[in-house]
Amino acid sequence: MLVNYVIDFSEGSKEQSDLLGGKGSNLAEMTKLKLPVPTGFTITTEACLDYLKQKEQMSDELNLEIRQHIESMEKRTKKRLGDAVDPLLVSVRSGSKFSMPGMMDTILNLGLNDETVLGLTQKTGDARFAYDCYRRLLQMFGDVVCGIDKNRFEEQLDFYKSKKGYQSDIEMQAEDWQELVAVYKNIFLEVTHQAFPQDPYEQLQLAVEAVFRSWNNRRAITYRRLHDISDSLGTAVNIQEMVFGNFGLDSGTGVAFTRNPATGEKGIFGEFLLNAQGEDVVAGIRTPQPISKLESLMPEVYQEFLTLSHLLERHYKDMQDIEFTIENRQLYLLQTRNGKRTAKSAFKVCIQLVEEGIISKAEAIQRINPTMVTQLLHPVFELDQLKNAEVFATGLPASPGAASGNIYFTAERAKQASEQGEKVILIRQETSPEDIEGMVVSEAIVTSRGGMTSHAAVVARGMGVCCVAGCEEIYVDEFLEQATAGGITLHQGDVVSVDGTTGTIYRGDIPYVEGDEWQLLETITNWAKEEATIGVKANAETPADIKTALKLGAEGIGLARTEHMFFGEERIFEMRKMILAESEDALMAPLNQLKEFQKEDFRTMFTLLNGKACTIRLLDPPLHEFLPQTEAEITHLADATQRTVGEIKHRIEELHEQNPMLGHRGCRLAVTTPQIYEMQVAAIIESALEVAQKGKDLTIIPEIMIPLIGSQEEMRWLRERLDQTIQTIFSEKNQVISYKIGTMLEIPRACLTAEKIAEVADFFSFGTNDLTQLTYGFSRDDSGKFIGAYQQKQLLKEDPFQHIDEEGVGALMRIAVDKIKHFDPSIKIGVCGEVGGDPQSIRFLKKIGVDYISCSPYRVPAAILTIAQEK
Ligand code: PEP
Ligand code: MG
């Protein structure tokens, strides 16, 4: 027995989009609402899947069911398919669950043939109209069913018009269309070696089969891949009585949105064409008029449309995209669906719908895709402009945004050019702390090496600057100041455009639109905060970044990387002096100087945060990262420290490590030179005391975080020393303050022994960058070279530095969380690696029971939204 293969519009509802497709379920819903929808039925997705499974054989049962539904349409319309006097004509349209513009197969005017076209002529008294309809059927049927190139028909139409000296289709007369019908039928014969089928039922069966098959055409498959739509859904086919927008100047067709899909502005937004059929609007042959024009042309139709669109929007509780046709001043609705929209429009419409009482705040939050936040905050290239743009190279989408400018290969040159008023793009093999001044002035940063957690990526994300990292295909010659990719060499000053959202670098200047809708974002973020069950903090240390983070909704700072505070010429110089010190005494002068810098920064930080949480991480990178690299810098340092160039080079060699990421860094630095951490801790506590003293009722509880701890012994030893330093300050100042000393979980051993470390740590934060590096054994700086190959060969689904590796790294994290919470459920556990800002990873992190995540400021709102959406 057949079930669910054909369903009348009057029997379905909007909830059935799996079975009826989006278009079909909404046509059914509108029919239920008694709106003016031409009568019809839907052949279901199940019928499609069955057809495809049966080796594309249409079953007799399905044919019979379709015939029965046509017969009931005939009763309702009092017309008959194939009737020579008053023929029923139908449209055949595809419609899957998700709208797939790549597959839109539509055939209009089906049922016309050499005989019924005469009936239509008689009935309407308009031969011009009837033959125009017939030629359209030939054209669409030829294209969709028989695969005849559309241009074959268009060429003949153009040829005919020019022969007659016509400028447009409007000038075509009845006999012209009649002649063209004959020409079109010949094309049919020539290409398919068969005449155009005259039997309307044969037309119908062939059309339905063609739509079924279109589910598996190349463009549909590609569209599904791109949009993550399952291949197993199938498409439905909608058969509907034709209404004619091309029936003279009292008829027309159009598309309208209930609000502006680009800006979200309230009010009908759309266009229409008089005397036209649906595809004329889309085909762009004639320029449509704005919908407001309809008001003066057909006021009563316009009013009715306004009323109906309002009703539909209320019913669907969302902005609608409506297709309509007017036949002889009679309005018909042919489709409604939730309108596709830009990020700005999505936010605005959600806010309006809440204000209008149509949806709740919680519903509004569920409707916004966290990736839209990016589009709202960062510039994006104009899509039209990208179509013809020339790609220079691609890399990792390290920090979103769009920028154009002149390329420079050193921070110094970038800075000079920017001072001259140029827009600058900094291209480097990789960046280091020394490049910071060049990075700050750049519109975008591009590196040929390094991954999603490389210096360039982390710093750019922090600043909200567009960045493409790890463009392995670019050969960057910093000496010759040129970059080569795909046989093309760009020189200093050449113009490129960088898309940090997709990881693409284009040649030339591409216009972009600014994303600065903070207000809209703030409203939605505040609503999301009410629903969010775990906290979101930010990774930030500079005043600008902290301000941005707070403005974007961060509840505090979850990771202030203190090494970032040693950037800048003056500070790095003191750092170098400290590294060169050969005795304890020599160490103290630069350390004291550095302490002053740090205190200044911490005071600003505590003041800006005004009592909000603040986790400060002590120095992490190996010291050699701070040492000079170029001859000029080495000479400068030698002069300033009264050493020889040879001595400096010797020290650089001494500090050289084969594997610096596994070497003398993090807490290991403090084990050999505890004075560095002692200085940092003193700076933190002293500045906290100073700020707390000034601000009445201000409670500052600094959280001091030690990086790279792997054992309880390391943690205990360091903690005791740091507690001692703090106690000394308290007694010197005769003042106390609460503070916490915790650690990062970024070494697998720390995860496996977390309950022991918990005995001596007040809090934890997962450093998933290092934890991923150490769990996979993939260098975070070099894995860009091979991760792409792993993905291509399907050995890795995704880059584990971008999205958490749930199976491996995630397993270690679960162990650590369980052990710590078992030891003491009140100990707070955060995540401050880059995956902490990735919506997909956040869903997992929330599941394993972390208390908060911390991410770069610009990722904060999307993180809050993701958490609010996960119940
Ligand atoms: C980490 O390792 O995840 C982390 C946050 O620290 P960093 O990136 O500074 O090593
Ligand atoms: Mg780390």
Side-chain angles (χ1 to χ4, degrees), residues 264-288:
E265 222 57 55
K266 253 186 106 163
I268 290 287
F269 176 88
E271 43 194 26
F272 75 103
L273 265 176
L274 281 185
N275 196 13
Q277 266 195 336
E279 75 281 6
D280 296 341
V281 181
V282 193
I285 303 164
R286 287 159 54 195
T287 311

Side-chain angles (χ1 to χ4, degrees), residues 559 561 617 620 665 744 746 767-770 780 832-833:
L559 173 66
R561 292 175 163 103
R617 186 186 68 189
D620 186 14
R665 56 170 286 215
M744 300 192 65
E746 48 186 352
T768 47
N769 303 336
D770 276 308
R780 51 194 271 198
C832 60

Side-chain angles (χ1 to χ4, degrees), residues 395-599:
L396 298 169
S399 178
S404 305
N406 304 338
I407 56 172
Y408 287 91
F409 295 91
T410 63
E412 205 183 345
R413 292 261 194 211
K415 206 170 149 219
Q416 284 162 358
S418 151
E419 280 161 9
Q420 304 297 316
E422 279 182 55
K423 282 176 144 192
V424 169
I425 309 284
L426 180 65
I427 303 191
R428 307 268 302 148
Q429 280 181 4
E430 54 198 334
T431 60
S432 72
E434 272 188 273
D435 293 324
I436 193 68
E437 287 171 70
M439 296 170 84
V440 169
V441 298
S442 296
E443 307 291 317
I445 297 156
V446 175
T447 62
S448 59
R449 294 200 202 130
M452 292 295 282
T453 61
S454 62
H455 179 262
V458 171
V459 173
R461 262 200 300 279
M463 298 190 298
V465 168
C466 166
C467 173
V468 178
C471 299
E472 299 280 341
E473 62 188 295
I474 308 185
Y475 175 69
V476 178
D477 192 327
E478 286 163 6
F479 182 70
L480 289 178
E481 299 183 314
Q482 61 185 36
T484 307
I488 296 197
T489 299
L490 300 181
H491 301 276
Q492 174 175 294
D494 285 351
V495 178
V496 298
S497 296
V498 182
D499 189 335
T501 314
T502 61
T504 316
I505 297 141
Y506 300 92
R507 292 184 67 188
D509 191 356
I510 303 173
Y512 53 82
V513 279
E514 287 295 342
D516 51 3
E517 303 292 340
W518 295 71
Q519 199 72 50
L520 296 176
L521 189 58
E522 199 180 339
T523 308
I524 294 285
T525 308
N526 284 339
W527 292 349
K529 272 186 177 175
E530 289 168 21
E531 303 285 321
T533 45
I534 65 169
V536 178
K537 301 181 187 177
N539 298 351
E541 47 282 321
T542 65
D545 291 353
I546 295 171
K547 281 185 203 155
T548 309
L550 295 179
K551 195 164 158 196
L552 289 171
E555 64 182 46
I557 298 301
L559 173 66
R561 292 175 163 103
T562 50
E563 60 269 19
H564 288 184
M565 297 169 162
F566 297 122
F567 296 157
E569 228 169 290
E570 199 184 359
R571 294 177 175 206
I572 207 162
F573 202 67
E574 289 303 323
M575 196 67 189
R576 286 172 183 166
K577 286 209 279 195
M578 180 201 84
I579 297 167
L580 290 175
E582 275 140 11
S583 65
E584 177 121 13
D585 282 351
L587 185 67
M588 286 329 283
L591 264 184
N592 281 334
Q593 186 54 56
L594 287 168
K595 183 177 171 189
E596 287 315 307
F597 293 140
Q598 294 254 274
K599 277 187 74 174

Side-chain angles (χ1 to χ4, degrees), residues 532-784:
T533 45
I534 65 169
V536 178
K537 301 181 187 177
N539 298 351
E541 47 282 321
T542 65
D545 291 353
I546 295 171
K547 281 185 203 155
T548 309
L550 295 179
K551 195 164 158 196
L552 289 171
E555 64 182 46
I557 298 301
L559 173 66
R561 292 175 163 103
T562 50
E563 60 269 19
H564 288 184
M565 297 169 162
F566 297 122
F567 296 157
E569 228 169 290
E570 199 184 359
R571 294 177 175 206
I572 207 162
F573 202 67
E574 289 303 323
M575 196 67 189
R576 286 172 183 166
K577 286 209 279 195
M578 180 201 84
I579 297 167
L580 290 175
E582 275 140 11
S583 65
E584 177 121 13
D585 282 351
L587 185 67
M588 286 329 283
L591 264 184
N592 281 334
Q593 186 54 56
L594 287 168
K595 183 177 171 189
E596 287 315 307
F597 293 140
Q598 294 254 274
K599 277 187 74 174
E600 194 183 311
D601 287 348
F602 293 140
R603 275 193 298 266
T604 313
M605 193 180 259
F606 291 133
T607 310
L608 285 174
L609 286 168
N610 196 24
K612 293 195 172 68
C614 186
T615 308
I616 300 169
R617 186 186 68 189
L618 305 179
L619 191 71
D620 186 14
L623 294 182
H624 77 89
E625 280 198 10
F626 296 92
L627 285 176
Q629 285 167 356
T630 64
E631 284 294 327
E633 285 169 349
I634 293 174
T635 313
H636 177 53
L637 184 63
D639 290 348
T641 54
Q642 282 108 43
R643 284 184 171 80
T644 64
V645 166
E647 280 170 335
I648 305 277
K649 285 192 174 167
H650 179 66
R651 183 68 179 138
I652 294 176
E653 250 164 57
E654 266 182 354
L655 285 170
H656 174 79
E657 291 181 292
Q658 296 297 347
N659 242 329
M661 271 298 182
L662 296 178
H664 197 180
R665 56 170 286 215
C667 58
R668 298 159 199 172
L669 279 175
V671 169
T672 55
T673 318
Q675 294 89 337
I676 302 176
Y677 277 13
E678 285 163 6
M679 172 280 283
Q680 289 197 289
V681 164
I684 294 168
I685 296 296
E686 285 174 21
S687 37
L689 287 173
E690 285 165 31
V691 175
Q693 209 172 29
K694 270 197 214 145
K696 264 227 245 108
D697 307 327
L698 187 62
T699 324
I700 303 174
I701 307 177
E703 297 185 357
I704 298 163
M705 184 154 73
I706 304 178
L708 228 68
I709 287 290
S711 73
Q712 188 201 49
E713 289 75 11
E714 262 174 337
M715 184 68 194
R716 185 189 302 280
W717 190 82
L718 281 167
R719 173 161 203 156
E720 278 168 7
R721 286 194 80 108
L722 300 181
D723 277 334
Q724 188 55 52
T725 307
I726 296 170
Q727 289 310 321
T728 313
I729 297 171
F730 287 164
S731 34
E732 270 170 22
K733 307 253 173 219
N734 204 15
Q735 230 185 320
V736 291
I737 195 171
S738 299
Y739 68 92
K740 288 182 181 168
I741 298 186
T743 180
M744 300 192 65
L745 285 163
E746 48 186 352
I747 302 255
R749 193 182 188 286
C751 294
L752 297 171
T753 60
E755 82 283 17
K756 291 205 175 133
I757 300 175
E759 287 175 22
V760 280
D762 300 330
F763 66 89
F764 289 90
S765 180
F766 283 105
T768 47
N769 303 336
D770 276 308
L771 190 58
T772 303
Q773 165 169 262
L774 294 168
T775 304
Y776 256 114
F778 286 173
S779 155
R780 51 194 271 198
D781 297 313
D782 301 313
S783 58

Side-chain angles (χ1 to χ4, degrees), residues 46 96 100 163 181 227 263 272 338 396 438 671 780 830 849:
E46 278 184 16
S96 58
M100 287 173 51
K163 204 170 72 182
V181 162
H227 294 84
T263 63
F272 75 103
N338 294 341
L396 298 169
V671 169
R780 51 194 271 198

